[in-house]
Amino acid sequence: MVDVALQGDAVETSAVAARAKALNRLRVADIVFRALTRAAAIGVLIILGGVIISLIDGSLPALRAFGLNFLVEERWNPVTEKFGALAPIYGTLVTSFIAMLIAVPVGLLIAVFLTELCPMWLRRPIGIAIELLAGIPSIIYGIWGLFVFAPFLQDTLQPFLIATFGNIPVLSTLFAGPPYGIGMLTAGLILAIMVLPFITSISRDVFDAVPPVLKEAAYGIGCTTWEVVRYVVLPYTRVGVIGGVMLGLGRALGETMAVTFVIGNAHKVSASLLAPGTTISATIANEFTEAVGDLYTSSLIALGLILFVITFIVLAIARYMLLRIERRIG
Amino acid sequence: MNRSLYAARRRRNGIMLSLSLAATLLGLGWLVVILSVLLWEGFSGLSLAVFTEMTPPPGADGGLLNPIFGSLILTVLAVLIGTPIGMLAGTYMAEYGRHDRLTSVVRFINDILLSAPSIVVGLFIYEVMVAPMGHFSGLAGAVALAVIVIPVVVRTTEDMLLLVPDQLREAAVSIGTPRAFVIAKVCYRAAKAGMITGVLLAIARISGETAPLLFTSLNNQFWSTNLNAPMSSLPVVIFQFALSPYKDWQKLAWTGALIITFTVLALSIAARALSASRKPS
């Protein structure tokens, strides 16, 4: 463009120069803006890199002191400086498992209701209400769980479970001990409420994307609504639903505050779901500011690293699944 | 035989559909239960003193002025730091590098950061800011929140810019507008409502965040505007007060919880209303 402007011989030299200068300024502005946006995009990658590097760097002393033993050692003793991550890892997996066990069927059923049964005018309000559940900060779930939900479970569900399963061989170990109120079961139930909206909203979106022709064909040969959902909608959206479930699982694994309130922070691996336990995130939240000594701090950061690696893998699978269904639906 | 099969199918259909209705009622029920408990417990503690007095020592009267102020400062700073970076990155992904390798990598990583555990962000900022500086600070807290803001803003900015019709860009380019000006004067304007929605959602997300603040901005019992010192914030005060054995501290925690929840709900409803009113269909 600059060349064209300079060739025009009817234009006076000063005007040509001014024009060239203006065009040049615009071009520089464009280059600078492009570079800025590119730098910001790379910045996102740098954040992730920074998280990984700083976590590895911070956990080196602990990993050097305990090695891989750190993963399978149950003891967590700040006084003798012996640390092992088994109890928090166990607690994290158990609470998330309980949460998914409840949230997946309930979340999917709500999505079925919203896409197949609900009258049109009610869909948006109910959808928004369910999503508001996702918007409530986790500390609110925590304070509610501690003061309302845990005492409620202590008085109702937990004595019931103990009484019902107390004499059945395997289940009696799962529901052994006094009803504390707080504990792994309570934490799992609260996590279930928290991840429910994620599973619901993603499944609803992928259910909505099923081509109507497929459903109409199934109805046409006389399928019931449930059969349409079970044999047409679910197979078609399987990948997306798994993606949504994994996303919910990622949330459940990393959830901190709600769990910290109700888990009881006990570094113990106990078979009973009613016993207090701890999770990776709850341990960090409870102990980090009070940790004295490099090895203690470093062990907590190592826990953070483990949590990050687990959630990273889960979330990466979730995104990959969702990407696949996005491509198919287009 | 055939008739009984038919009846069984109908019965199964009825059971599953009733279950789905029950599941929905259960989900809505939780929302109602949580909000009503919050109103019940928090509303009675709500008074002018909450907004005008400092956090009290146990047993004394007081309010939540310093944590509310601290939360405002941290949130504003986090948005000021995080929004420009997020918007620029989103701009690159939707405009300059739409078909780049870099863009798809950034999108994938960004989506993971979007749901990464926030306590890990706290550890990260502790390692890079608090430990080298030697003390907890409000600034570190704000940066930790900014790290959470960035992925939210990147995502919405990219999505909203991709919704802008290409004809608008082509028209602007055809009259000789440089790319940067096409973006700033045309695309940003067309996508404004959506981008503001993203910022609102980001604010809603961070105003309840506790985990990343626990070991970055820590807490402060006193009025402090010093960003280089520990700073009080509403979520951390709720955490501390709720777990204390003192009744009046627990009461204040409920009141704080009420304030946060309704701020967050108001923000997300506002964001929804804004995006619904401008949704191109």
Side-chain angles (χ1 to χ4, degrees), chain A residues 227-298:
Chain A
E227 284 163 351
V228 171
V229 171
R230 172 70 187 76
Y231 299 108
V232 177
V233 175
L234 275 180
Y236 188 84
T237 55
R238 198 179 52 227
V239 181
V241 169
I242 295 174
V245 169
M246 295 299 257
L247 205 63
L249 179 60
R251 287 274 167 168
L253 289 168
E255 181 47 53
T256 309
M257 297 321 291
V259 174
T260 306
F261 274 93
V262 295
I263 190 85
N265 201 34
H267 280 276
K268 246 184 0 207
V269 177
S270 37
S272 172
L273 297 180
L274 304 182
T278 191
T279 67
I280 294 178
S281 47
T283 305
I284 301 173
N286 266 321
E287 301 180 19
F288 197 83
T289 42
E290 286 150 23
V292 273
D294 288 344
L295 205 56
Y296 196 176
T297 311
S298 168

Side-chain angles (χ1 to χ4, degrees), chain A residues 26 30 33 37-38 40 50 54 109-110 113 129 131 135 139-140 144 147 222 225-227 257 281 288 301 319, chain B residues 9 13 16 20-21 23-24 30-31 88-89 92 96 111 123-124 127 179-180 210 215 235 239 242 261 264 272:
Chain A
L26 291 179
D30 198 30
F33 190 64
T37 58
R38 201 180 154 89
S54 68
L109 282 172
I110 297 180
F113 177 81
E131 277 163 32
I139 188 151
I140 309 299
W144 175 78
F147 289 117
T225 307
W226 170 248
E227 284 163 351
M257 297 321 291
S281 47
F288 197 83
I301 295 177
R319 288 301 167 191
Chain B
R9 285 175 55 203
N13 186 45
M16 293 318 289
S20 79
L21 178 65
T24 311
W30 283 123
L31 186 67
L88 287 174
Y92 180 81
Y96 288 114
D111 279 348
L123 286 177
F124 166 52
E127 279 286 298
R179 199 68 189 272
T210 319
F215 23 85
F239 180 53
T261 309
V264 170
R272 252 166 245 280

Side-chain angles (χ1 to χ4, degrees), chain A residues 3 17 31 37 45-46 73 108 110 119 149 182 184 221 278 305:
Chain A
D3 298 336
I31 291 170
T37 58
L45 301 182
I46 292 178
E73 170 66 53
L108 286 178
I110 297 180
F149 197 52
I182 56 174
M184 291 198 285
I221 57 166
T278 191
L305 179 65

